[in-house]
Amino acid sequence: MKRGKPLALLIDGNSLAYRAFYALPDTMKTSKGIGTNAVYGFTNTLIKALLDDKPDFAAVAFDRKEPTFRHLEYKEYKATRDKAPPTLYDQMPYVREAVEALGIPVLEKAGFEADDIIGTLAKKCEKEGYEVVILSGDKDSLQLITENIKLLTMRKGITDTVLYDEKAVEEKYSLRPDQMIDLKALKGDASDNIPGIKGIGEKTAITLLKEFSTLENLLDNAGSIKREKTRQLVEQGKESALLSKRLGAIKTDVELDVEIKPQKIDITRAAPFFEKMEFSSLAKKYSGKTASESLREKREMISQYDYICVQDEKELRKLINELEKCGEFAFDTETTGLDAFEVDLVGISFCAKYGKAYYLPISKEGGKSVFRLLKPILESKKLKIGHNIKYDIEVLLKYGINVAPPYFDTMIAAWLLDPTKGGYGLKKAGKEYLDRDMIRLDELIGKDAEHAGFAEVPLDVATDYAAADADVTFGLYDIFKQELKKEGLEKVFYEVEMPLIPAVIEMEKNGVSLDTKKLKKMSGDMEERLKKLEKDIFCIAGEEFNINSPKQLAVVLFDKLKLPVRKSTKSGPSTDAEVLEELAADNFEIAEKLLEYRQLSKLKSTYVDVLPGLISKTDGRVHASFNQSGTATGRFSSYDPNLQNIPPEVRSAFVPGQKGWLILSADYSQVELRILAHLSKDPSFVYAFRKNNDIHKATAADIFDVDELLVTDEMRSAAKTVNFGIIYGISEFGLAKQLKIKKTEAAKFIDNYFKKHKGVKEFMDGTVEQAKQTGIVRTLLGRLRRLPDINSPNYGLRSFTERTAINTPVQGTAADMIKLAMIRVYGRVK
């Protein structure tokens, strides 16, 4: 911000925290379960303002619990406002702590609101020659704006901000800032339960103020108001308007004990607070330490552990002898990259007892003898422990070592224990469960570090880093094996997830073959089709424009062609897929062409043109990565490429690897609905499946209340949507939208469904009720999902969590069944 005066930044702590709480998901929590969405959003917004504006003075004001002078005058003041959710209330001490950690004064005073403190301080700062920016989540402070005082507030969330000065207020409201309190006095304020004058809305109030300038002048000259009804309302509401002005006016004369003087705000001083709240990105960014200083501190902490570098064959044999005496050991590989099948091995670390670990650097010259000695122990029947052990096993395959089961993957264990929290990396888990502040790889290698690759890291530093990885992995194993037992997760861990690892490794190693000639032809054909569609669109539009520009497209569709606007955003009429689909349904040809153009363009750019670039130079095949722990329900995810989401048009390019080979496709029939029938024990569902009836046809007969013989294809299609929608807890609105029917009709479908399938309704209600009591839901095999928001005061979040509670046992059990099938098919194929 360009300025000639010093700047004061004054923040309304409560309103900003409130905004942050609703802008970010309240699933954000520390490892100890402390909610952090309000704290994190508040802190980030505050830091951004400090960095953007670089204030010379800053202060944060907070409300207090005691009644204010406004409550004493008007007991109904704010009486209709909902109480803050307990989860926000619990975070407010940490919000205050964030301010204190940054060295910014925290101001509050009994009997007054944060607005009053800010108003007083703003006027005081202005008098002392400061330019003032007020940062607040609401617009009450518009009344304070002068030539030197501005308001930075939010349009939506906490990132979409707008700065109001005198000109901006007049442009938006056609009023001066000092008239804003009179506007509130006339129209009232529902959020604060300020009455205003009943019957006077914003438009009328602005018209009156433009004519009479002030509330007092208006009331004194009410008889000259031309419109009779308005005149009567003003005359009758005089006392209410004056009361409303007293309630809404921000005080600017509160006695405050604060010295306004230049401050030196140092964000790095808050680093301990960021670490405490587990704001890892902020802690890293504002640690105030160089990479070398951070590394030195962590190595000093590591010195308490017994970490040994194995540098010759004698020491290696001694290590192997020690591992042979143990029933289990952890190991971890250090490599030159992330692609397990393309990287080179730099070293391996081992641990068989927490606190003591070994690092074995591997040179190209001595590698063969090392692998010969390691092979027997790694291929033995001892339990091997790893964090994302799949990667380490795949790396060693290149060197002729087939690491044999049984396995214990601490990353998968961490995920099973809480599949919704995300971030199961070793460093995070080590900090959470063992309070270990581990060396990060980016402190050793990369653009901000001294070394280009791990092979260049000095041996003593590499030992500390690598040995700690194996050591912490073993420490996590000690904890997780007990936690899995305690949480009833042993069956799904030992009988599903761990036996699946060899099958996943085989899938990733083998990869899939692509017909590149077919893809090239496909790309060329699509390019021709896109050019043809482009010409058609330009012809209908009567001009050429950038089809991929929403702004230009909106001008063509709604300004030039005068198509009906279906939905608007802050930047104008929307041209998203939903809007185009509605327009296409109304037979607007240009919308149909645009939809086809977008779908074809996405198909070409996302799959057809990208897939050839993913082919390995080593074996000419595509090796996707499969993630066992990628979803909260237990389902697989895959990437580079996502093989689970290949469009039908592109699947023909996936071909058998050799002549005479075939691609076999296997799946369960309507597995989720069968699971729902089993879990709910609904008689009609169970009967239909046992008789091998068409379940969607049977459901159509139920919801349309007709004989099955009279069910049409359209009825069956609608019933299919209902069947699968029920699993996901679909609402009347959601079903109406999907089927393009009225909400009342959708409600009737759902009502008829539950009348015929009372067992399903009882299962759903019972599952939600149990989840509210226990905070978790489980699959048939015992896989759990934690639902911390099942009792949330936020209706939208609570409703979403209730739907999650219903569909997780169904989806999760289906995921377990698929994983069991993969294990068995893999075994049979072998």
Side-chain angles (χ1 to χ4, degrees):
M1 181 182 288
K2 289 183 180 179
R3 59 181 191 265
K5 297 179 179 180
L7 177 71
L9 178 65
L10 310 178
I11 300 105
D12 183 336
N14 289 83
S15 72
L16 189 56
Y18 182 88
R19 281 274 187 168
F21 179 79
Y22 285 104
L24 298 172
D26 65 0
T27 50
M28 292 177 67
K29 291 178 172 64
T30 68
S31 56
K32 295 180 175 62
I34 299 169
T36 59
N37 59 323
V39 191
Y40 184 77
F42 174 93
T43 305
N44 252 335
T45 306
L46 178 54
I47 289 173
K48 186 178 185 303
L50 293 172
L51 294 175
D52 288 351
D53 295 337
K54 297 180 176 57
D56 301 281
F57 172 80
V60 181
F62 288 98
D63 296 331
R64 286 176 63 97
K65 295 178 184 177
E66 300 94 337
T68 67
F69 69 91
R70 296 178 178 89
H71 294 93
L72 297 177
E73 179 170 5
Y74 184 62
K75 64 180 180 180
E76 288 85 8
Y77 178 66
K78 292 190 177 181
T80 55
R81 183 178 287 190
D82 291 335
K83 286 186 177 180
T87 42
L88 170 57
Y89 181 81
D90 292 343
Q91 292 184 56
M92 289 309 296
Y94 299 107
V95 170
R96 281 180 166 80
E97 193 177 338
V99 180
E100 291 165 351
L102 288 162
I104 297 172
V106 171
L107 304 176
E108 55 186 12
K109 190 172 178 91
F112 299 93
E113 297 180 47
D115 281 340
D116 301 314
I117 295 169
I118 287 172
T120 301
L121 207 50
K123 294 298 181 183
K124 194 173 181 183
C125 287
E126 182 182 35
K127 191 176 179 181
E128 295 193 18
Y130 280 80
E131 185 176 344
V132 180
V133 171
I134 297 169
L135 175 59
S136 176
D138 59 50
K139 295 177 183 175
D140 288 343
S141 296
L142 287 172
Q143 61 184 277
L144 298 171
I145 289 175
T146 65
E147 183 184 350
N148 299 306
I149 300 174
K150 298 176 178 65
L151 172 66
L152 181 65
T153 189
M154 294 84 188
R155 277 184 284 238
K156 188 178 180 182
I158 51 175
T159 56
D160 183 9
T161 58
V162 57
L163 183 68
Y164 282 99
D165 57 11
E166 290 177 312
K167 185 180 177 184
V169 173
E170 289 186 33
E171 284 178 355
K172 184 168 178 65
Y173 296 98
S174 302
L175 297 174
R176 303 184 308 273
D178 63 282
Q179 291 177 297
M180 296 306 293
I181 181 55
D182 292 342
L183 175 64
K184 180 179 282 195
L186 288 169
K187 74 182 184 69
D189 184 347
S191 66
D192 288 343
N193 202 31
I194 293 175
I197 296 178
K198 191 174 181 182
I200 300 289
E202 183 167 309
K203 191 175 179 182
T204 303
I206 290 173
T207 302
L208 290 170
L209 289 170
K210 284 170 77 173
E211 182 180 351
F212 294 93
S213 186
T214 67
L215 175 68
E216 289 75 14
N217 189 42
L218 169 66
L219 296 177
D220 289 344
N221 298 281
S224 61
I225 297 173
K226 294 170 187 174
R227 191 163 179 260
E228 185 180 350
K229 186 179 179 183
T230 303
R231 184 173 65 251
Q232 290 175 353
L233 289 172
V234 171
E235 287 174 344
Q236 292 167 8
K238 179 178 179 180
E239 292 306 318
S240 181
L242 291 170
L243 169 67
S244 297
K245 183 163 183 175
R246 290 197 300 275
L247 295 174
I250 293 174
K251 294 283 259 181
T252 58
D253 57 356
V254 180
E255 289 187 19
L256 295 175
D257 183 20
V258 59
E259 186 181 359
I260 299 170
K261 62 179 183 179
Q263 304 161 329
K264 187 177 180 182
I265 297 169
D266 181 7
I267 298 172
T268 61
R269 67 186 290 172
F273 172 76
F274 300 152
E275 289 176 5
K276 171 185 169 180
M277 300 308 294
E278 298 176 16
F279 300 158
S280 54
S281 59
L282 293 177
K284 178 183 173 183
K285 188 173 182 179
Y286 298 109
S287 67
K289 302 168 190 169
T290 64
S292 58
E293 288 172 337
S294 176
L295 179 61
R296 184 169 62 251
E297 283 185 13
K298 289 175 180 178
R299 289 196 67 204
E300 285 173 3
M301 292 172 65
I302 281 173
S303 63
Q304 65 183 288
Y305 301 102
D306 188 7
Y307 292 165
I308 302 157
C309 183
V310 177
Q311 299 189 65
D312 57 40
E313 187 175 317
K314 182 181 177 182
E315 290 177 338
L316 176 56
R317 289 183 181 275
K318 185 179 176 183
L319 166 61
I320 292 169
N321 184 53
E322 191 171 318
L323 295 177
E324 285 174 343
K325 293 175 184 176
C326 303
E328 68 268 325
F329 62 85
F331 77 102
D332 184 68
T333 60
E334 302 304 335
T335 60
T336 56
L338 298 174
D339 188 332
F341 298 108
E342 302 289 338
V343 298
D344 292 321
L345 188 63
V346 177
I348 312 177
S349 52
F350 294 92
C351 177
K353 181 184 177 184
Y354 184 59
K356 182 178 182 180
Y358 298 84
Y359 175 58
L360 171 63
I362 295 172
S363 63
K364 289 183 180 178
E365 302 78 29
K368 285 186 180 179
S369 61
V370 168
F371 299 135
R372 177 176 49 82
L373 291 169
L374 286 176
K375 189 176 173 73
I377 192 70
L378 286 168
E379 294 185 351
S380 70
K381 291 184 178 180
K382 292 181 182 296
L383 178 67
K384 289 89 181 173
I385 305 155
H387 199 85
N388 189 20
I389 199 170
K390 176 190 71 171
Y391 176 85
D392 303 301
I393 295 170
E394 289 176 346
V395 168
L396 290 169
L397 283 173
K398 180 178 176 180
Y399 299 92
I401 297 175
N402 293 285
V403 180
Y407 309 131
F408 191 106
D409 191 321
T410 49
M411 184 181 79
I412 291 176
W415 164 67
L416 275 181
L417 288 164
D418 192 349
T420 56
K421 82 177 170 187
Y424 304 100
L426 182 61
K427 307 298 186 275
K428 183 178 179 181
K431 180 67 177 174
E432 181 177 341
Y433 291 95
L434 297 166
D435 199 25
R436 292 284 295 269
D437 201 8
M438 301 171 71
I439 300 169
R440 299 190 314 270
L441 191 60
D442 63 1
E443 291 174 318
L444 302 181
I445 65 173
K447 64 175 184 176
D448 296 326
E450 292 182 41
H451 313 290
F454 198 82
E456 297 173 21
V457 177
L459 211 50
D460 58 336
V461 180
T463 298
D464 283 349
Y465 173 86
D469 280 0
D471 184 29
V472 168
T473 299
F474 195 90
L476 292 173
Y477 158 71
D478 277 340
I479 294 170
F480 289 161
K481 66 181 177 182
Q482 300 300 328
E483 287 296 307
L484 291 170
K485 184 176 183 179
K486 177 182 163 187
E487 296 290 351
L489 291 165
E490 288 183 306
K491 186 178 183 70
V492 73
F493 182 77
Y494 292 113
E495 296 182 24
V496 180
E497 298 296 349
M498 291 304 98
L500 187 60
I501 290 173
V504 179
I505 291 169
E506 187 88 357
M507 287 160 62
E508 293 188 349
K509 182 186 73 170
N510 290 343
V512 291
S513 289
L514 285 174
D515 186 334
T516 52
K517 289 181 181 177
K518 180 173 277 191
L519 283 171
K520 189 175 181 181
K521 185 179 184 307
M522 213 180 275
S523 180
D525 292 344
M526 287 180 174
E527 186 64 36
E528 289 302 313
R529 285 169 61 194
L530 285 169
K531 286 178 182 176
K532 173 71 169 56
L533 282 166
E534 194 176 66
K535 283 182 182 178
D536 291 346
I537 291 166
F538 291 160
C539 183
I540 299 168
E543 64 175 273
E544 291 189 7
F545 63 97
N546 182 356
I547 294 174
N548 298 313
S549 165
K551 194 171 183 180
Q552 290 186 36
L553 179 58
V555 170
V556 169
L557 294 181
F558 307 114
D559 292 348
K560 183 174 183 182
L561 299 179
K562 305 297 182 185
L563 270 60
V565 175
R566 301 295 191 188
K567 185 168 69 175
S568 292
T569 66
K570 64 183 181 185
S571 56
S574 172
T575 59
D576 64 15
E578 186 181 0
V579 168
L580 293 180
E581 283 167 5
E582 286 184 20
L583 293 171
D586 289 339
N587 298 315
F588 289 108
E589 187 183 6
I590 192 168
E592 295 172 7
K593 298 283 185 184
L594 284 165
L595 278 171
E596 189 180 350
Y597 180 90
R598 282 187 182 178
Q599 288 160 359
L600 194 60
S601 181
K602 184 177 179 182
L603 198 63
K604 183 175 183 294
S605 62
T606 307
Y607 297 100
V608 177
D609 293 344
V610 170
L611 285 170
L614 298 174
I615 295 172
S616 168
K617 292 182 175 67
T618 306
D619 62 4
R621 295 167 73 86
V622 173
H623 298 269
S625 294
F626 292 89
N627 188 358
Q628 278 176 255
S629 55
T631 65
T633 57
R635 284 180 168 181
F636 261 108
S637 63
S638 63
Y639 56 95
D640 292 340
N642 180 0
L643 289 179
Q644 295 157 275
N645 199 31
I646 301 295
E649 302 95 315
V650 185
R651 287 178 197 165
S652 61
F654 287 79
V655 294
Q658 294 183 28
K659 192 176 181 181
W661 287 18
L662 296 171
I663 290 178
L664 170 69
S665 177
D667 196 7
Y668 285 108
S669 171
Q670 297 170 337
V671 63
E672 290 185 342
L673 290 176
R674 291 176 190 271
I675 290 167
L676 179 60
H678 176 85
L679 292 171
S680 67
K681 298 180 174 57
D682 182 77
S684 55
F685 245 13
V686 172
Y687 176 83
F689 277 123
R690 282 185 173 163
K691 291 293 183 181
N692 206 27
N693 292 347
D694 182 332
I695 193 67
H696 299 312
K697 201 170 185 179
T699 301
D702 290 339
I703 65 173
F704 288 100
D705 200 19
V706 297
D707 190 277
E708 275 194 46
L709 295 171
L710 299 176
V711 171
T712 64
D713 289 343
E714 290 77 12
M715 288 177 174
R716 184 185 182 278
S717 179
K720 186 175 181 181
T721 302
V722 174
N723 269 331
F724 286 109
I726 291 297
I727 296 172
Y728 295 92
I730 199 166
S731 65
E732 296 165 4
F733 176 79
L735 184 61
K737 193 174 180 182
Q738 282 194 35
L739 295 178
K740 294 182 172 61
I741 58 176
K742 290 180 180 178
K743 190 178 172 184
T744 51
E745 198 176 348
K748 187 179 177 184
F749 281 0
I750 293 173
D751 189 48
N752 284 347
Y753 181 94
F754 285 132
K755 280 179 182 175
K756 299 287 185 177
H757 299 286
K758 291 180 180 174
V760 173
K761 179 64 173 167
E762 288 169 4
F763 161 73
M764 291 168 65
D765 291 345
T767 300
V768 169
E769 188 55 40
Q770 188 178 26
K772 286 183 174 181
Q773 293 173 15
T774 63
I776 61 171
V777 285
R778 290 186 184 269
T779 69
L780 279 174
L781 282 180
R783 183 188 301 277
L784 65 75
R785 181 169 183 173
R786 301 187 188 279
L787 303 168
D789 300 306
I790 192 70
N791 294 304
S792 171
N794 182 326
Y795 173 79
L797 189 58
R798 185 176 69 251
S799 298
F800 172 79
T801 310
E802 287 175 359
R803 293 195 296 272
T804 300
I806 292 164
N807 70 51
T808 294
V810 179
Q811 286 186 39
T813 299
D816 291 343
M817 287 181 65
I818 292 292
K819 285 181 173 180
L820 284 171
M822 289 171 67
I823 293 165
R824 291 169 186 173
V825 169
Y826 171 73
R828 288 286 293 275
V829 170
K830 277 298 187 184

